Amino acid sequence: MINESVLLESRTLRTSVLERTDVLDRVKALSLLPDGLHVTTAMVAAYYEVAETAIRQLIQRHRDELTGNGMAVLRGSELQDFESDNLSPSKRRSLTIYSRRAVLNVGMLLRDSEVARQVRTYLLDAEHEVRTHPVDNLVHRVTWGNLHERIDNRITDVLGKTVVPMLNVLIETSGEQRRELISLREDVQQIQMKLVEHDLQISRLQRGQEVRALTGVIGTIDAMNWKEFELHVAELLRRDGCTDVEVYGGHGGDRGVDITAKTADGRTVAVQCKNFAPFRHVLSGEMQKFLGSSKVLHQADVALYVATCAFTRESLAIAAQGGVTAVHRGLLEAWSAGVRLQVLR
């Protein structure tokens, strides 16, 4: 068994376990901003029970690594947009935000934090358990794989299309219970993430493939330009059995969509691709525009809005009402790594 301290010295080892963000919640509950994706420097410091200065000093030494794993500094209009959705307005000139992956990265670098030490120990224990898992147990899981997959997908679909939108509406209209509802929504989103991870594991086993970590998947996507991103999404559609996949590449004939295709069972597909910075949000006006293009102009049976960021509450509500599947950053990562979208099955 490797000692947890080696994570402090080996960036390669840190990279190999960065997908295990579930460890954060196993060690201690991690509070997230209302977007369900990010935390601030103060929230990172509170989680690891250290002063904010310790986090800032860590950033100075490891800025490139943390930035590559989801840390970003917001300024100007980007900061204003983010604050309007997630924080009370302030006079701050900049704001550093962290994804769950970046928070985990911090835990593998912090020396003087008991919580960080527990995170490192838990990470290596979990990794050791995965690598030494008996073969017979894996075979048993494959035997029941189809049943687990159907149950997971049904629950995920209900949570994403019914429960989360309902909580969003309640949060918007509630007063005293707002904080409790936000906490409940975070719990539901955590369940969704775990179900997606479980579906990913089952899918890998069913295809007879070796378990492949998500490490680097979202980083590769972030490095793409808009054209490369559209081609990437087109390949995902083909991988999942779609035919007649056509990428318009932004020219005038697209009529408001970036990709069209047909599912294996003949349903028409219209796709919007947005290669946004991870701290941005897809706004309600953008979703309304795509809803009109996909459902009215193209009369698509399946409408996918694929983005490298999150969606605002309002845009998610519009998507749910109009029958648009919102493929947010987390779901995009899982889809790119091998999970098939439920709507394409």
Side-chain angles (χ1 to χ4, degrees):
M1 181 65 189
I2 302 174
N3 187 282
E4 54 87 18
S5 62
V6 299
L7 283 168
L8 294 166
E9 310 300 334
S10 174
R11 181 168 179 174
T12 299
L13 184 57
R14 292 195 294 270
T15 300
S16 71
V17 294
L18 268 171
E19 80 281 0
R20 298 303 304 270
T21 57
D22 59 297
V23 167
L24 294 171
D25 296 305
R26 293 177 184 272
V27 173
K28 180 183 177 182
L30 174 65
S31 298
L32 299 172
L33 290 169
D35 68 352
L37 295 172
H38 297 100
V39 299
T40 63
T41 300
M43 295 167 74
V44 176
Y47 178 84
Y48 286 113
E49 298 176 5
V50 297
E52 288 186 50
T53 53
I55 306 298
R56 295 193 181 98
Q57 290 169 359
L58 191 71
I59 292 173
Q60 291 178 356
R61 296 192 300 270
H62 302 279
R63 181 175 296 275
D64 289 345
E65 181 177 346
L66 292 168
T67 300
N69 289 315
M71 185 189 77
V73 180
L74 308 184
R75 295 184 177 88
S77 60
E78 292 176 341
L79 174 59
Q80 293 176 358
D81 291 342
F82 189 84
E83 283 185 329
S84 67
D85 289 322
N86 299 287
L87 297 167
S88 300
S90 71
K91 295 182 179 180
R92 61 170 68 91
R93 294 184 178 181
S94 66
L95 176 69
T96 303
I97 58 173
Y98 308 74
S99 67
R100 290 175 61 85
R101 188 184 296 263
V103 176
L104 181 60
N105 198 167
V106 169
M108 289 188 278
L109 293 167
L110 266 179
R111 294 181 180 273
D112 299 323
S113 166
E114 177 59 25
V115 175
R117 189 193 65 77
Q118 293 176 18
V119 166
R120 292 192 292 270
T121 300
Y122 209 117
L123 266 175
L124 293 175
D125 286 346
E127 187 71 6
H128 177 75
E129 182 179 351
V130 169
R131 294 181 183 276
T132 59
H133 207 290
V135 174
D136 288 345
N137 287 350
L138 292 177
V139 172
H140 177 74
R141 287 169 64 188
V142 173
T143 302
W144 290 93
N146 290 332
L147 176 60
H148 290 168
E149 184 179 12
R150 287 197 299 269
I151 293 173
D152 286 355
N153 288 332
R154 183 65 179 270
I155 295 173
T156 303
D157 193 52
V158 171
L159 292 176
K161 292 186 177 180
T162 304
V163 178
V164 172
M166 178 184 68
L167 288 172
N168 288 337
V169 173
L170 290 174
I171 289 170
E172 285 295 314
T173 58
S174 66
E176 297 179 356
Q177 290 78 32
R178 179 180 175 84
R179 181 172 298 177
E180 289 79 3
L181 288 169
I182 291 175
S183 177
L184 178 59
R185 182 181 63 187
E186 291 174 353
D187 291 340
V188 170
Q189 290 171 331
Q190 288 295 324
I191 293 172
Q192 286 181 279
M193 290 175 61
K194 294 183 186 302
L195 288 172
V196 168
E197 290 172 359
H198 185 257
D199 185 30
L200 176 58
Q201 293 171 352
I202 292 297
S203 297
R204 287 167 177 161
L205 291 171
Q206 287 175 325
R207 292 193 302 271
Q209 296 178 345
E210 296 180 356
V211 175
R212 179 169 60 88
L214 289 176
T215 304
V217 172
I218 201 66
T220 300
I221 294 173
D222 285 339
M224 296 177 181
N225 60 37
W226 66 269
K227 184 178 296 184
E228 292 168 337
F229 182 56
E230 289 182 2
L231 293 175
H232 171 69
V233 173
E235 284 304 311
L236 293 178
L237 294 169
R238 294 187 182 99
R239 185 203 68 193
D240 287 355
C242 290
T243 60
D244 299 334
V245 179
E246 184 172 356
V247 181
Y248 293 97
H251 63 69
D254 61 357
R255 294 197 300 167
V257 304
D258 296 318
I259 304 172
T260 57
K262 287 186 179 179
T263 62
D265 58 4
R267 290 171 295 151
T268 57
V269 181
V271 186
Q272 179 71 270
C273 301
K274 288 298 182 184
N275 189 15
F276 287 153
F279 47 80
R280 253 216 62 175
H281 287 73
V282 174
L283 304 177
S284 59
E286 293 167 323
M287 182 61 72
Q288 288 173 342
K289 182 179 178 181
F290 175 62
L291 181 60
S293 299
S294 60
K295 293 295 186 177
V296 177
L297 293 179
H298 288 269
Q299 297 184 334
D301 300 309
V302 178
L304 301 178
Y305 202 121
V306 185
T308 55
C309 62
F311 292 75
T312 64
R313 293 186 290 269
E314 295 78 6
S315 66
L316 286 174
I318 293 170
Q321 294 170 1
V324 174
T325 298
V327 182
H328 56 73
R329 185 176 178 82
L331 184 54
L332 172 62
E333 181 178 36
W335 187 26
S336 299
V339 176
R340 189 176 180 184
L341 288 183
Q342 176 70 21
V343 73
L344 297 178
R345 293 174 186 265

